[in-house]
Amino acid sequence: MTRPLPDPGFTEFAEFWSGTLRHELSVEQCADCGLLRWPPRPVCRRCLSAASGWTVVPPYGRLFTWTVVMQQTIPGLPPPYAVGLVQIDGLQEASTLRFLGRLVNVAPEELRIGMPVEAVFEEAAEQVVLVNWSPRADRQSS
């Protein structure tokens, strides 16, 4: 059985999935105060504005935390595999802008808090490109 995939036409996330087709990470941005937000929300948590647009953010970050899945939970994705929460680098809102994704090209025992990672775009199906995270070559955790 193949693993289930997201619906790229789901309204709130459509711009995000369009970005992944171009191998870009896109997030919602408040049109009034400029706050970046992920996941998308109906109003800005800072200024309560409902006006927003989308912007591309760097595909680099640092591993904030992770877990290793040891039991079969997703059809077509056999364990073990690691899932991490990645804090995006180089943004004013970096402390709150985090992406969840599968960690690839690394053994679970090599994972470290603060490990530099980069987005790896996986073409999973027609019009569906997933975002995974892989260690960056520099691997410095400073």
Side-chain angles (χ1 to χ4, degrees):
M1 174 180 233
T2 60
R3 65 182 165 165
L5 297 172
D7 176 2
F10 186 66
T11 307
E12 288 83 3
F13 291 88
E15 285 295 321
F16 171 77
W17 293 114
S18 292
T20 64
L21 290 173
R22 297 183 302 275
H23 292 199
E24 295 175 341
L25 286 179
S26 299
V27 298
E28 202 172 39
Q29 184 171 29
C30 178
D32 290 327
C33 75
L35 181 71
L36 300 176
R37 55 190 193 235
W38 182 256
R41 294 195 167 75
V43 297
C44 177
R45 68 177 166 81
R46 181 189 293 158
C47 72
L48 302 179
S49 171
S52 67
W54 285 79
T55 190
V56 175
V57 296
Y60 303 103
R62 298 198 178 263
L63 189 56
F64 184 78
T65 191
W66 74 92
T67 189
V68 178
V69 178
M70 300 299 288
Q71 304 257 343
Q72 183 79 46
T73 58
I74 299 174
L77 189 58
Y81 59 92
V83 176
L85 191 59
V86 173
Q87 188 167 313
I88 299 300
D89 281 349
L91 300 173
Q92 186 175 4
E93 292 89 4
S95 63
T96 60
L97 195 63
R98 298 183 184 133
F99 282 89
L100 190 63
R102 194 161 55 105
L103 299 165
V104 297
N105 306 320
V106 62
E109 59 272 10
E110 294 176 30
L111 296 171
R112 301 286 178 263
I113 300 279
M115 173 185 277
V117 294
E118 63 185 320
V120 175
F121 297 90
E122 174 192 350
E123 307 215 7
E126 187 176 337
Q127 300 298 308
V128 179
V129 175
L130 302 177
V131 180
N132 297 318
W133 297 92
S134 180
R136 287 197 316 244
D138 58 6
R139 285 200 181 197
Q140 297 168 349
S141 58
S142 56

